[in-house]
């Protein structure tokens, strides 16, 4: 509430997709002499910027207006956050300059000190807002920090000649599967995860 007693709408996190931001699916398998199998997945009108880290990325419209789909991350904004260490809420630098660490907000406690994450970091400045805005985090939230991370792989739709497309986590070392994957999110590997005192058990 502001000083006039009116409710201020929470900011929509940078990474969240809007309903109008649809994904193009006009895909085809093309011949490619550089591919391990001689073929790879492509859009029907391929552009060089469709590929990043040797994988095809979903072309998703960018139009941050209208109805918000909180269940979905925007593929290209998620990738930008992970590649450039940007906060998933404000798009600002996520690395804390004082500690040199990144902060992560989880719905559940973990005892793991390493792991793979696809939800981008949240900067310390945005953590109170994130805890207030998300209904699940209002119930329970746990903040962890880690040093910098390494890209591990992608969450993507793998097209197989023998069955329907399926969603998989594909490591960047699996070059063959990556040639048949439409990436929807970059997964990173974090280590030295530590719980922080900011908690929200309400
Ligand atoms: Zn932020």
């Amino acid at each position: 509430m502001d000083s006039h007693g009116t409710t201020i709408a929470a900011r929509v996190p940078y990474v969240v997709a809007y309903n109008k931001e649809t994904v193009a699916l006009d895909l085809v398998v093309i011949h490619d002499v550089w591919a391990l199998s001689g073929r790879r997945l492509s859009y029907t009108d391929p552009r060089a910027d469709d590929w990043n880290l040797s994988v095809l990325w979903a072309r998703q419209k960018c139009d941050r207006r209208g109805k918000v789909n909180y269940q979905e991350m925007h593929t290209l904004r998620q990738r930008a956050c992970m590649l450039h260490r940007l906060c998933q809420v404000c798009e600002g630098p996520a690395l804390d300059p004082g500690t040199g660490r990144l902060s992560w907000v989880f719905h559940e406690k973990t005892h793991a000190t390493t792991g793979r994450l696809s939800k981008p970091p949240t900067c310390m400045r945005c953590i109170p807002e994130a805890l207030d805005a998300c209904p699940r985090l209002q119930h329970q939230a746990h903040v962890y920090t880690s040093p910098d991370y390494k890209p591990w792989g992608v969450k993507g739709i793998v097209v197989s000649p023998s069955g329907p497309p399926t969603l998989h986590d594909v490591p960047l070392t699996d070059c063959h599967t990556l040639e048949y994957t439409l990436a929807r999110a970059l997964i990173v590997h974090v280590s030295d995860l530590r719980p922080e005192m900011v908690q929200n058990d309400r």
Side-chain angles (χ1 to χ4, degrees), residues 66-80:
K67 205 155 182 254
V68 183
N69 182 0
Y70 283 98
Q71 306 306 315
E72 187 183 327
M73 291 189 290
H74 187 281
T75 290
L76 303 179
R77 293 199 291 272
Q78 188 274 353
R79 187 183 72 189

